């Protein structure tokens, strides 16, 4: 609550200053210019790099995770839409077939509803954070990656998942579609 007004103010000040613009995606560039015009000295996209060495190194299986599973990596909360993904997993019947839905990440605004639902939903595992060795194992052993985010900044977990060859189910909006 109240965050939107700060964004409007920041973008209004940016528009008034007319700086050179650098964006992390063509999606963010396109959306910014659609709202605030193209009258800037320059506008370019520089993609953020993936984490070097993420695909190399020790792997460690996180405790309590085995068998076939779907994976989500990222903050747990309203913005990331995990509550609806947990509902969809429950409706899918995959838990009855031995599948789990593993959600890795810390909590942000709105996490309580997703965490509560996850605790009551068979097959949902929410262990919190995972270190790089655990992430490597999760990416290498997952049956697929899910990120139906409603508002995504960079999409780094999708880039990492795709780098491991995982099929990715993402929302059709913003940076996730571009990735």
């Amino acid at each position: 609550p109240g965050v939107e007004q700060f964004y409007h103010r920041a973008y209004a000040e940016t528009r008034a200053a007319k700086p050179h613009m650098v964006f992390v995606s063509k999606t963010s560039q396109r959306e910014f210019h659609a709202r605030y015009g193209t009258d800037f000295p320059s506008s370019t996209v520089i993609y953020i790099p993936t984490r070097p060495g993420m695909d190399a190194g020790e792997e460690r299986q996180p405790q309590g995770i085995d068998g076939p599973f779907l994976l989500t990596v990222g903050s747990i909360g309203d913005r990331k839409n995990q509550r609806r993904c947990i509902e969809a997993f429950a409706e899918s019947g995959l838990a009855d077939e031995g599948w789990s839905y593993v959600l890795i990440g810390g909590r942000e605004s709105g996490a309580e509803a997703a965490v509560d639902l996850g605790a009551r939903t068979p097959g949902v595992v929410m262990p919190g954070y995972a270190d790089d060795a655990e992430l490597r194992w999760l990416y290498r052993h997952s049956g697929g990656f899910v990120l139906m985010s409603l508002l995504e900044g960079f999409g780094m977990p999708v880039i990492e998942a795709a780098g491991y060859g995982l099929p990715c189910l993402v929302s059709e909006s913003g940076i996730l579609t571009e990735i």
Side-chain angles (χ1 to χ4, degrees), residues 51 54 62 65 69-77 79-80 82 101-106 125 127-132 134-140 142 144-149 152 155-161 164 166 169-170 176:
R51 296 187 302 153
M54 181 55 195
I65 300 173
F69 62 93
L70 298 174
L71 176 64
T72 292
V73 175
S75 300
I76 309 293
R79 172 177 73 94
K80 299 287 189 164
Q82 288 99 343
Y101 180 29
V102 178
L103 294 97
I104 299 294
V125 181
Y129 286 101
D131 63 26
D132 284 350
E134 292 170 322
L135 283 175
R136 280 190 281 278
W137 187 92
L138 289 163
Y139 283 132
R140 285 201 174 103
S142 175
F145 188 83
V146 178
L147 187 58
M148 300 302 291
S149 181
E152 192 61 37
M156 187 60 70
V158 178
I159 293 169
E160 290 177 348
Y164 280 90
L166 287 176
L169 178 63
V170 299
L176 298 179

Side-chain angles (χ1 to χ4, degrees), residues 78-81 84 148-152 171 173 176:
D78 288 339
R79 172 177 73 94
K80 299 287 189 164
N81 203 23
R84 285 191 263 175
M148 300 302 291
S149 181
L150 301 173
L151 178 62
E152 192 61 37
S171 49
S173 65
L176 298 179

Side-chain angles (χ1 to χ4, degrees), residues 46-59:
I46 300 175
Y47 291 104
I48 59 173
T50 57
R51 296 187 302 153
M54 181 55 195
D55 59 348
E58 172 192 358
E59 286 185 26

